[in-house]
Amino acid sequence: MDTDNTPPPIEEDYAAVERRGQPLVSLEDSPQVSISVMTPPPPVLLAEPFSKPSEPLEGFPEDITPPENFAMVCPYIYRSGMPKKRHFGFLRRLRLRSILTLILEEYPVQSQKFLEHEGIRLFQFGVAGNKEPFADIPENIMTEALCVLMDRRNHPILIHCNKGKHRTGCLVGCLRKLQEWSNTSIFDEYRRYSAPKSRSMDQQFIELFDVRPVLDQIDPENVPDWPTTLYPLQGHAEQ
């Protein structure tokens, strides 16, 4: 089994990303699902994503250690496990505009302070993950999370759960379906990051996930400029 988790290089030459508007995420109550959005309060302004990083927050050491399972998914989208205090210096260099977390628990206080200081918006889609025999990821929550990823106004963005393996792997796998990857390639990527405990239920979830609701909800004007994304959108519009 291929267990090479070496992350692809981070691009040095960043292009300017247009900032327009703020997406909305509804709040739903469910024993296995929680959704919340934390927006930095005024006067903390959203930092320009490709400008010089802000000064480090007092008390946080300036380090460049990436979080567990860190990798670039595609331009301006990254994945990892739960970032900790020692990873904040590295995250600052990504010039993140947003973080999308899939954890159910309340976001750590020190991480919230870091996000407020850096002007990073937090999208929280708390899901329990696919675990037999009862728990599974609701498709509507995955659809909403994908709509956040498919809006370039939220980029650069980091996706994470606790370990960056199963829940993050499911979300990235569904994103790959939007990019028209083959199931073979999707599952190979999933297993690379979930090893040594890959879940068959995760792979089944990805295989059966219907991308049409995502295509119905995303704003075509703010879709990322990925060639593989444009084709399904164009084909969907012609139907």
Side-chain angles (χ1 to χ4, degrees), residues 99-154:
I99 284 181
L100 189 157
T101 182
L102 299 167
I103 65 171
L104 276 170
E105 303 80 15
E106 183 179 357
Y107 214 62
V109 174
Q110 67 175 6
S111 297
Q112 291 187 37
K113 291 180 179 179
F114 171 76
L115 298 187
E116 291 174 7
H117 178 263
E118 298 297 320
I120 299 173
R121 190 176 190 188
L122 176 67
F123 294 90
Q124 183 163 8
F125 296 90
V127 292
N130 292 315
K131 293 184 179 180
E132 296 182 298
F134 303 116
D136 57 3
I137 298 176
E139 287 200 16
N140 64 311
I141 300 302
M142 190 63 66
T143 295
E144 292 189 49
L146 285 168
C147 288
V148 171
L149 295 181
M150 292 293 292
D151 191 329
R152 61 181 177 178
R153 295 171 296 184
N154 299 322

Side-chain angles (χ1 to χ4, degrees), residues 66-187:
E68 179 183 5
N69 258 344
F70 176 83
M72 176 183 281
V73 177
C74 48
Y76 314 132
I77 295 184
Y78 308 94
R79 63 177 292 169
S80 76
M82 180 72 187
K84 298 179 173 58
K85 183 178 179 180
R86 65 179 179 273
H87 305 132
F88 291 165
F90 178 85
L91 296 184
R92 291 180 65 247
R93 283 159 172 75
L94 298 179
R95 285 84 162 179
L96 294 175
R97 179 171 286 175
S98 309
I99 284 181
L100 189 157
T101 182
L102 299 167
I103 65 171
L104 276 170
E105 303 80 15
E106 183 179 357
Y107 214 62
V109 174
Q110 67 175 6
S111 297
Q112 291 187 37
K113 291 180 179 179
F114 171 76
L115 298 187
E116 291 174 7
H117 178 263
E118 298 297 320
I120 299 173
R121 190 176 190 188
L122 176 67
F123 294 90
Q124 183 163 8
F125 296 90
V127 292
N130 292 315
K131 293 184 179 180
E132 296 182 298
F134 303 116
D136 57 3
I137 298 176
E139 287 200 16
N140 64 311
I141 300 302
M142 190 63 66
T143 295
E144 292 189 49
L146 285 168
C147 288
V148 171
L149 295 181
M150 292 293 292
D151 191 329
R152 61 181 177 178
R153 295 171 296 184
N154 299 322
H155 297 177
I157 186 169
L158 173 71
I159 310 163
H160 79 80
C161 52
N162 284 326
K163 298 293 185 181
K165 293 184 176 183
H166 303 108
R167 286 171 287 183
T168 298
C170 285
L171 180 56
V172 171
C174 293
L175 176 64
R176 296 308 191 194
K177 293 191 72 171
L178 283 169
Q179 296 177 313
E180 296 192 309
W181 281 33
S182 68
N183 283 339
T184 300
S185 298
I186 293 173
F187 297 153

